[in-house]
Amino acid sequence: MRRIYLDHSATTPVHPRVAVVAMNYMMNDYGNSSSVHAPGRKAAEAMDEARARVAEFVGAEPREIIFTSGATEADNLAILGVAHAAGDRGNHIITTAVEHHAVLHTCDALEKEGFRITRLPVDAEGRVDPSAVEDAIDDDTILVSVMLANNEVGTLQPVAEIAEIARARGVTVHTDAVQVAGQLPVDLAELGVDLASFSGHKMYAPKGVGFLYVRRGTRLKAQMFGGHHERWLRAGTENVPGIVALGEACVLAQEEIDYVTAHLTSLRDRLIAGLEERIPDVFVNGHRTERLPGNVNVCIPGVEGEAMLLHLDMKGIAASSGSACTSGSLEASHVLLAMGIKHEIAHGSLRLTLGRDNTAAEIDYVLETLPPIVENLRAMSAWKPGDEMPFED
Amino acid sequence: MRRIYLDHSATTPVHPRVAVVAMNYMMNDYGNSSSVHAPGRKAAEAMDEARARVAEFVGAEPREIIFTSGATEADNLAILGVAHAAGDRGNHIITTAVEHHAVLHTCDALEKEGFRITRLPVDAEGRVDPSAVEDAIDDDTILVSVMLANNEVGTLQPVAEIAEIARARGVTVHTDAVQVAGQLPVDLAELGVDLASFSGHKMYAPKGVGFLYVRRGTRLKAQMFGGHHERWLRAGTENVPGIVALGEACVLAQEEIDYVTAHLTSLRDRLIAGLEERIPDVFVNGHRTERLPGNVNVCIPGVEGEAMLLHLDMKGIAASSGSACTSGSLEASHVLLAMGIKHEIAHGSLRLTLGRDNTAAEIDYVLETLPPIVENLRAMSAWKPGDEMPFED
Amino acid sequence: MYTDKVMEHFTSPKNVGELENADGEGRVGNPVCGDMMAMQIKVEDGVITDVKFRTFGCGAAIATSSIVTEMAKGMTLEEAEAITNEDVAEALGGLPTNKMHCSNLAADALHNAIEDYRRKAAGEDGEQ
Amino acid sequence: MYTDKVMEHFTSPKNVGELENADGEGRVGNPVCGDMMAMQIKVEDGVITDVKFRTFGCGAAIATSSIVTEMAKGMTLEEAEAITNEDVAEALGGLPTNKMHCSNLAADALHNAIEDYRRKAAGEDGEQ
Ligand SMILES: Cc1ncc(COP(=O)(O)O)c(C=O)c1O
Ligand SMILES: Cc1ncc(COP(=O)(O)O)c(C=O)c1O
C-alpha cells in the first residue's frame, strides 16, 4: 500500500545523512566527551562542532546552546529555571492559552508552588495581542513565554514585538520555537528573545535530543544535578550521537531552507484549496498567512477526528487530529477551544503537516481519498452541521 | 595503531545488533508513539515490547519501568521525586559519601531547599555499614539512597541488607544500579529496593536513554511536565529508537550474562595480578571480592593520573583516572578520599574497566605498556613513595 | 490499539441509519466528550425486532454502537436491558482503557431507547 | 584538549632532573591540588646558566615545567623574573581554561628558585 506521511509536526523521519552520523557515533566514535583519551576527545570535538553548527543555524553563539533530551525538557528548564532563579525579584509569569503542554503544565506546576500565572487569550486565528502582554506585565513579572508557531494550527505569534515590549520592561522572554525549525529561517538574535526551545525529532534529527538557547547573561537555575556538563546547566552524560546528528540536521536544514519553505508552502496551499473545494462546510483553523508553511489544520463539522484518522490510515495516510483522542486525554484541543471553536466542531479537526519529502501527487491522493470518508462518516453521524445540536452539553 | 578500550564504566560502544535496531526506528519506523496512525502504533507497540524486555531483565513489572534520558535523570527523578512527594512525612535523606555526583549533587540541591542530608562514611574498601544506615534513620527519614556498585572503585554495597532495614522502618529505598547492569545479574524484586536507576550507554545501548524502576505504590512526583508520557511521571516525546535499542541491549545482556561475568572476572584478575607483580608500590582500591567483575582501580604512588592516561592513550589504551583532571574539576576523587586515601595518592589512581570485547591479549599489552610509563613518570616526579612529602598541604 | 473486531465493526458498521416509526429512541453522549449516539428500536411482543443507530464519535464509539445493535436484535427487552457496557467491550475483544468511559456508551443508548419505549408504551396504555 | 606544543613538552620534557650544587631551588604546588614542581637553577654573573625540574602532575604541569626551563636558560635573573604564568601558557600555544590556575605554576617555581638564590646570595655576601 502507498504510505503517505502527513504528520511531520508530531515527528519526522531521521534524514539518512543524519542517521549515518548518529550510527557512527554509536558504534565507532562512542567515547564519553568527559574522558581524557582519544575516543573521549573525539566525542568532545564532535560535540563542539555540533554546538557551533546548531548555534549558526539559529543565529546564536555556541556557548548559548544547552543540549537537552528534547523540547519538553528545554521548555521545563527555561520556565522552571527562570522561576527558580528569580528569588525575590518576582513570581509572575505570562504565557498564552495555546502553548504546548510542555509549557502549560510546567506553569501549572509553578502555580502550585505559589507562582502567579497569566494565560493570555488568543483571537479566532490563534494570535495573541502584543498589547495584552504589555498590559499583563507588572512589577512581579519575571517571564513571558509565547511560542513562535503553534503546533496544532500553525499560527505564527508576533514574538519579536512581544520580546521588545517585555525586554523594555526588564522581563525575560522565552519562546517555544520547536515547530519553526526547518520550516522558516530562525534568527534568535534578531528575534530578541532570551530563551528558545528546539527539538531534534521535529527537524529530521533523532528523538531524545533538543536544545535550549540561553542568551548570555540570562539568569537560569539548573533543574538536573550531577556532572559539570553543559556549563552546569544540565547534568548527564551527553547524548553524543544525538547531538552530532542534530548538528548535521541543522546544516541540512540551513542548506535547504529556501527550497523547503517554498515547497511546503506550495503543497500547503494546494491542499487547503483542494479541501475547501471538495468538502462542504470545511474551514481552515489558524491564520491564513501568518502560518507555518507545512501546516494544514481544518475542522470538518459532523465528523469526529479519530474516526477520520483511522479511515485515512487504512488508505495509507498518516495524519493527526486536535482531538488527541487516544493520547490519554479525550478532551478537545485546548488550542481550538481557546480560539472560540465549539467542542463538537473542535472534535472534528484534522491536521495534515507536510515534510520535505512530500509531493504534489501525494496531496492529490489525499484530496481524492478524504471526501468519501467524510461523506460516509457524516451519513453515520448523530448530528449534522447546520442542524441544532440534539445533544446536551 | 592498536586501540584498546578499557573505559567501559565511562561508556560502552553500542552493540551492532542494538545499533541496527536504533537505526531502523530512526529511519523507517519513526512514528510518534502517541499517534493514532500505523507508524505511531508501530512505535507504541515496539516501546511496549521494549518495556517488557527491560522489566524482565531487572526482575520487574513493565509498568514499573519509567524511561528517562539517562541515569542522571533517573537519579534526579528518584531523589527529587521522593523528596517533593514527601510533604509533611519528613525531610531527612540518607546517602553515602561515595555516590555518583548525580546523587550527591541532587542531595546538595535538596539541602539548599531545607532537606536534611546524612552522608554516611565508608570503610577503607569503600563499603558502607548497614548498621550505620539503621542508626541514621529517624522519624523524619523519607529516603535512603545507596548505590549498588561504585563506578570508580567497583565496590559492591550491601544494598539488600540496607533495603531490608530501611523498608522495615517504612523508608523508601533507592539504588543507583548503573554499573551493575550487564556485569552481574540484577533482580530488583529480590533486592527489595523501591527505586533503581539504569543507563543505556553503560550497557551497549545508546547514550541519551536510561530508566528508573519505580516499585508499584512508591510515592513519586514528576520533575518534568508536559504530555501524558510514562504514566505522567516523565513528560516528553519518547526516544523510541533509544528505548527499543535499550530493550534489545537488555535481551543481549541477559543472554550473555553468565559468559560476560566470567569473562570480565578472569580478565580483571589477570590484570590485577599483573599490575601487582610489575609495578612497585601499586595497590588495589576497593573491595577485593565484593567487586564489579569489570573494574580494576589502582593507585600508583608518585605518578599523577592524567599523565598516565595521556601516555597510555599514545599507546592506544583508553583508560581513566579518579582524578578526573580534565573534567572541569581538578579535585581528587571524592570516592578515594572518602576511603581514607591521601590526596597525593588519590591523584595517582588509574581505572581500567573491562567490556565484553576485551581479550587476554589486550590485558597483556597493558601489562607490558604501563610499567615503563610509570617508571618514566616516577623518575620525573617531585616526590617519591616512601619519602616524606616535601610539599605542604 | 484496537482489536480486529473493533476495526471490523468500525469499518463496516451494522445497522446504521434511522427506523421509520421507531418504538423507542435513546441518546447518550455530549459535545464536550465528543461521542454522541442515537439509537432506535422496534419492539414486537417484548422482543427487539430491529435496531438502528447513528453515531458521532471515535472508532470505539462507532464499533460499540454497531455491535450492540447486533447483540440486541432478537433479544427480549429484559435480555437487552441486562447488556452492560462491559459486555459490549468484551464482545469486541476489549477496548483501550482510556476508551472505556467516554466512548463505551452504546449499551446505555440501548437502555435509554428501551426506557423511552416503556415510557411511551405506558403512556399509550394509559390512553387506551 | 592540549596543543601539539604541550604534547611535545609533555612527552619529551627538557631539563628533567636535579642539579649538583644548585644555586637556588623553588617549590610550588601541594598534594591537594595534585600538581607539585621542584625547580633548581645555576646562576653565573646574574645569568641563569642551567635549570632542572622535577614535577608530579598532569600533562599541563609537566609541559609548563619543561618549557619554562628552556625559556629561562640564558636569561638574566631580571628577565626570568619577568616571565609570567601567562607567558608560559602562551609559549605552549595555550592551555585548557581549567588548567590555567592549578597546573600552570612553572613560572612561579622559577621565581621561587630565583628568590631562593637571591636570599642565599645575600646571606653569603653578609658572611664575606
Ligand atoms: C554510578 C553512576 N550513576 C549515574 C551515572 C550517570 O548516568 P548518565 O551517564 O546516564 O547520565 C553514571 C555514569 O556517568 C554512573 O556511573
Ligand atoms: C510546540 C512544541 N513544543 C514542545 C514539544 C515537545 O517537544 P519534545 O517532543 O521534544 O518533547 C512539541 C512536540 O511534541 C511541540 O510541538
Side-chain angles (χ1 to χ4, degrees), chain A residues 20-56:
Chain A
V20 164
V21 168
M23 194 77 165
N24 179 51
Y25 283 87
M26 283 190 211
M27 289 183 63
N28 305 318
D29 297 330
Y30 52 81
N32 183 318
S33 64
S34 298
S35 301
V36 167
H37 49 62
R41 295 198 307 270
K42 195 150 186 183
E45 281 158 24
M47 230 173 57
D48 285 348
E49 194 187 332
R51 200 183 299 278
R53 288 169 154 206
V54 169
E56 157 98 23

Side-chain angles (χ1 to χ4, degrees), chain B residues 306 325 330 347 379-380 392, chain D residues 2 30 32 54-55 59 98-99:
Chain B
E306 189 203 274
C325 199
L330 303 173
H347 277 295
M380 192 187 304
E392 279 156 50
Chain D
Y2 286 133
N30 65 60
V32 174
R54 285 194 194 281
T55 288
N98 64 342
K99 297 287 187 177

Side-chain angles (χ1 to χ4, degrees), chain B residues 217-336:
Chain B
T218 306
R219 269 182 266 216
L220 198 70
K221 191 171 173 301
Q223 299 297 312
M224 218 185 289
F225 309 99
H228 59 284
H229 317 86
E230 301 295 314
R231 300 197 293 115
W232 292 102
L233 282 173
R234 202 281 183 177
T237 301
E238 298 96 340
N239 176 0
V240 181
I243 288 168
V244 182
L246 180 58
E248 184 72 14
C250 286
V251 171
L252 189 75
Q254 207 161 357
E255 280 169 17
E256 292 190 337
I257 191 74
D258 292 340
Y259 160 72
V260 169
T261 304
H263 176 63
L264 299 183
T265 304
S266 102
L267 295 183
R268 177 193 74 188
D269 294 345
R270 184 188 192 98
L271 182 51
I272 289 178
L275 291 172
E276 288 183 325
E277 193 187 304
R278 297 180 190 211
I279 298 179
D281 297 313
V282 70
F283 63 89
V284 175
N285 295 312
H287 202 284
R288 282 271 166 173
T289 53
E290 289 296 303
R291 179 184 202 90
L292 283 175
N295 178 288
V296 175
N297 189 309
V298 294
C299 278
I300 304 183
V303 180
E304 195 273 346
E306 189 203 274
M308 257 188 294
L309 297 189
L310 291 171
H311 277 291
L312 285 171
D313 184 53
M314 286 184 286
K315 300 287 186 184
I317 299 168
S320 74
S321 163
S323 91
C325 199
T326 54
S327 304
S329 143
L330 303 173
E331 285 156 35
S333 152
H334 69 285
V335 174
L336 297 178

Side-chain angles (χ1 to χ4, degrees), chain A residues 236-237, chain B residues 70-72 75 100 147 151 176 178-179 199 201-202:
Chain A
T237 301
Chain B
T72 294
D75 284 341
H100 190 270
M147 69 202 316
N151 49 304
D176 178 332
V178 167
Q179 292 290 339
S199 182
H201 74 99
K202 311 282 188 182

